[in-house]
Amino acid sequence: MCITFGSPLLGNKSFSQAISKEKWGGNFIHVVSNHDIIPRLLFAPITPLTSQLNFLLPFWHLSITSPEFGNLAVQVSDKEKAKLFTAVLDYLEAATHNGKPSGSILFHPFGNYFFVSEEGALCVDSPVTIIKMMHLLLSTSTPSRSIEDHLKYGEYVNRLSLEMLNQKNSLLRNIPNSSDEAWLELAIQSSGLADKESAVIPAKECLMLARMGPSPALNATSLALKLSMVIPYRAQIEWYKSWCDEQDDEKGYYDSFKTSAVACKRAMKINTNRQTLAIFWNNVIDKFEKKELPHDFDQRAKWVNASQFYKLLFEPLDIAEYYRSGMHRINGHYIKHGRERRSKGLVELYEK
């Protein structure tokens, strides 16, 4: 277990995804104060803020290591504090665009973020929600408090330890009967935003979006049901392959399908089945790439076997259709220019 206070560990996008995929997120807890500007600095370019940080870093260092000498550090003017505060707030707001992390940020959250305040604590693990909550919580602060709050983690932890039961009892008397509303109300009160009118509604929307997002487990269950529904189409193509293999011309199902007349009823039926299964597997790959499926989805025997069986049975038909329709004359050969995204995705998932 790794616990940080006011200084969450850094991670780029690939590292964050790896932590999530391996289910290691629960091993990291980053305690972040609602108003502390230090964790938010990770989302802002340091160069434009160098002058302010040159004064603030010694202040924080002395205040933590030798509290009696903290005031000896060169103080930052209110104007410079406001400039730093506004810049970080703006960068945080821009860090998520259209509900997704901005491609320009180098730091991506991972693990669990434990936002602490005088009213309680709120735990969040969604990267997008973490960034949005960082922005909303800081927006309720002031330049001076955002700097001073970095020195108060000991107070927050002690208060939470001593008052957790009393606070829990007081909260339970004021929550709605609905379980969804109760969860949201408790989250808002624990975050310290209950009396911040400008931030309450955006915070509720942010938390509800994270809660109502696609469930990987449910998505996997839904795909399993759909897989059972398309198995008959696969069985028909298996029958077609066996039928082709038994013919006297010994052409096999690749050449038989490639050279069959477009209007041939049997070929039309097989091509329709091929397209139906293509839609299904495109959907599987799409959901996996969007992180909408369980992290170990690509390691589950059922899906490994099903995808390999599909690729071996159906890609020859994709190749045959590509050349039969003359697409190689327009785009070039299949491997470089015609291979479908689903086939590439399955190779990437299960043969890497």
Side-chain angles (χ1 to χ4, degrees):
M1 176 70 71
C2 176
I3 303 176
T4 66
F5 294 87
S7 184
L9 299 179
L10 297 174
N12 59 17
K13 183 177 181 180
S14 298
F15 185 80
S16 177
Q17 291 177 346
I19 292 292
S20 179
K21 183 175 182 179
E22 297 297 332
K23 296 184 178 180
W24 292 339
N27 296 321
F28 299 91
I29 297 178
H30 306 297
V31 182
V32 174
S33 162
N34 282 8
H35 307 285
D36 185 7
I37 202 170
I38 281 284
R40 279 90 173 173
L41 283 172
L42 303 173
F43 295 93
I46 298 299
T47 304
L49 309 175
T50 301
S51 60
Q52 295 95 329
L53 293 178
N54 284 339
F55 294 115
L56 286 173
L57 291 177
F59 165 71
W60 280 317
H61 178 71
L62 283 174
S63 298
I64 293 173
T65 58
S66 305
E68 65 275 15
F69 298 117
N71 292 329
L72 297 179
V74 178
Q75 299 298 306
V76 181
S77 67
D78 291 340
K79 181 179 179 180
E80 291 299 310
K81 289 180 182 178
K83 183 178 179 181
L84 175 67
F85 181 81
T86 302
V88 173
L89 201 59
D90 290 343
Y91 283 119
L92 271 174
E93 186 175 15
T96 54
H97 181 65
N98 294 330
K100 298 180 180 179
S102 170
S104 61
I105 63 173
L106 298 178
F107 169 67
H108 288 255
F110 66 88
N112 298 278
Y113 274 61
F114 203 62
F115 292 104
V116 295
S117 67
E118 295 176 352
E119 288 77 15
L122 174 67
C123 187
V124 180
D125 61 1
S126 165
V128 174
T129 305
I130 289 170
I131 299 174
K132 286 187 175 181
M133 290 303 296
M134 276 190 163
H135 171 256
L136 288 171
L137 293 168
L138 186 65
S139 68
T140 65
S141 186
T142 63
S144 294
R145 186 171 185 183
S146 69
I147 292 172
E148 297 166 358
D149 225 40
H150 187 64
L151 307 175
K152 296 184 177 180
Y153 283 96
E155 297 178 20
Y156 286 130
V157 172
N158 287 335
R159 183 181 291 111
L160 285 173
S161 300
L162 295 173
E163 299 182 2
M164 183 174 293
L165 291 177
N166 291 334
Q167 184 176 14
K168 180 179 179 182
N169 291 334
S170 66
L171 287 173
L172 290 175
R173 289 193 292 268
N174 300 307
I175 62 174
N177 293 326
S178 166
S179 59
D180 286 338
E181 292 180 7
W183 166 82
L184 191 58
E185 188 64 28
L186 282 171
I188 292 298
Q189 290 188 33
S190 298
S191 69
L193 294 176
D195 59 345
K196 307 293 191 301
E197 294 183 5
S198 62
V200 168
I201 294 179
K204 285 184 176 181
E205 292 175 349
C206 177
L207 293 172
M208 284 299 294
L209 184 62
R211 183 181 175 94
M212 295 172 62
S215 166
L218 288 177
N219 284 340
T221 301
S222 176
L223 284 179
L225 292 174
K226 292 178 181 178
L227 177 63
S228 65
M229 295 172 65
V230 299
I231 283 179
Y233 300 108
R234 188 183 75 182
Q236 290 178 24
I237 295 182
E238 288 183 77
W239 170 85
Y240 175 73
K241 182 179 183 300
S242 298
W243 179 83
C244 291
D245 291 341
E246 293 172 358
Q247 299 306 300
D248 294 336
D249 57 15
E250 298 182 350
K251 291 170 65 175
Y253 83 121
Y254 170 81
D255 286 320
S256 295
F257 183 75
K258 181 181 177 182
T259 58
S260 63
V262 176
C264 173
K265 185 176 180 180
R266 183 182 291 110
M268 289 177 62
K269 178 64 175 177
I270 294 303
N271 198 37
T272 299
N273 291 352
R274 181 185 68 86
Q275 292 171 346
T276 299
L277 284 154
I279 293 172
F280 170 78
W281 282 102
N282 280 339
N283 186 38
V284 172
I285 295 299
D286 185 61
K287 287 186 177 297
F288 187 83
E289 291 178 347
K290 290 181 178 179
K291 311 298 180 184
E292 295 177 1
L293 294 173
H295 305 304
D296 62 345
F297 182 81
D298 58 339
Q299 301 169 20
R300 296 182 179 182
K302 173 180 180 177
W303 289 100
V304 172
N305 295 333
S307 63
Q308 289 289 65
F309 189 90
Y310 168 81
K311 187 170 69 69
L312 294 174
L313 181 65
F314 286 84
E315 190 166 21
L317 298 182
D318 288 341
I319 298 172
E321 177 63 21
Y322 185 79
Y323 285 100
R324 182 174 71 170
S325 61
M327 293 303 296
H328 62 291
R329 299 189 185 94
I330 301 173
N331 299 327
H333 288 297
Y334 174 83
I335 291 297
K336 286 188 176 181
H337 306 288
R339 198 173 201 188
E340 294 289 347
R341 177 169 162 267
R342 60 184 173 276
S343 297
K344 294 179 182 178
L346 292 173
V347 170
E348 183 179 342
L349 287 181
Y350 302 114
E351 295 185 1
K352 58 187 176 181

